[in-house]
Amino acid sequence: MAQDDLQNHLDNAMYGTPLLKPEEQRKYMGTFRERCYLTMTIEQMKKTEDKANFLKELAQYPDATVLLNGAMASDLQSAYIKLINERQTKFTVVNDFVENTPNALGLVLTSNEAVNEETIDIEQKYPKQTSTEATEQPKKEFWHKLFH
């Protein structure tokens, strides 16, 4: 038994402590899914509506930390760093296990502890109004006024 403890101690010293749920930590830029309030892909970060919704979330969680993908375009990264700094929120630029593809996570709003948010993707959390929903109501009112 003591031999196993010694071997574990030596392995940890040489290779570092093994990661818990390494695939999940890579996906969420070094944190766990249960600690995420919100995620945005690089493509979503370019959309004005998604950026506005991110700022709403940021206001709700002033103690949160923003993790930014270090591989994304520097102009997009700089724009978000400016927004985050204006709101005096902590952030970290993550360079490990990240890539610059439209569907790669570009931003994670995270906590130091488990928050267990059911929905964390920004476009699922804030669904867009479709154009048919927005235009259908006025049509009904128009015909209603005309024939009643």
Side-chain angles (χ1 to χ4, degrees):
M1 187 84 165
Q3 183 65 24
D4 286 342
D5 290 341
L6 178 61
Q7 187 60 47
N8 286 341
H9 182 73
L10 289 173
D11 288 344
N12 288 346
M14 287 176 40
Y15 307 113
T17 308
L19 290 176
L20 182 66
K21 300 182 182 179
E23 296 303 315
E24 184 176 307
Q25 285 192 34
R26 284 187 193 105
K27 180 176 180 179
Y28 296 105
M29 291 191 260
T31 194
F32 298 105
R33 161 64 177 87
E34 65 196 24
R35 295 182 178 186
C36 297
Y37 292 117
L38 184 81
T39 60
M40 294 174 75
T41 65
I42 292 174
E43 190 64 35
Q44 290 168 336
M45 290 175 72
K46 296 175 183 176
K47 298 176 182 175
T48 307
E49 186 178 328
D50 288 339
K51 186 187 293 185
N53 289 330
F54 162 68
L55 293 176
K56 288 180 198 172
E57 288 285 312
L58 200 57
Q60 280 186 291
Y61 306 109
D63 294 334
T65 300
V66 178
L67 303 177
L68 290 169
N69 181 331
M72 78 174 88
S74 59
D75 58 334
L76 183 61
Q77 188 181 84
S78 297
Y80 273 84
I81 288 173
K82 183 179 177 196
L83 290 172
I84 294 163
N85 277 333
E86 287 170 356
R87 283 144 185 90
Q88 300 177 344
T89 302
K90 296 176 285 190
F91 74 93
T92 302
V93 176
V94 178
N95 291 307
D96 295 335
F97 309 112
V98 292
E99 53 187 34
N100 186 12
T101 61
N103 292 327
L105 284 183
L107 180 149
V108 177
L109 184 61
T110 185
S111 172
N112 291 335
E113 55 194 33
V115 293
N116 296 313
E117 287 283 320
E118 190 174 320
T119 305
I120 60 172
D121 179 82
I122 192 156
E123 290 186 354
Q124 291 175 5
K125 209 169 199 179
Y126 295 94
K128 291 184 174 75
Q129 289 280 356
T130 60
S131 58
T132 56
E133 289 175 0
T135 58
E136 201 160 313
Q137 187 63 28
K139 285 181 187 175
K140 287 179 184 175
E141 289 175 13
F142 172 76
W143 291 110
H144 182 73
K145 288 178 185 175
L146 194 63
F147 292 110
H148 289 286

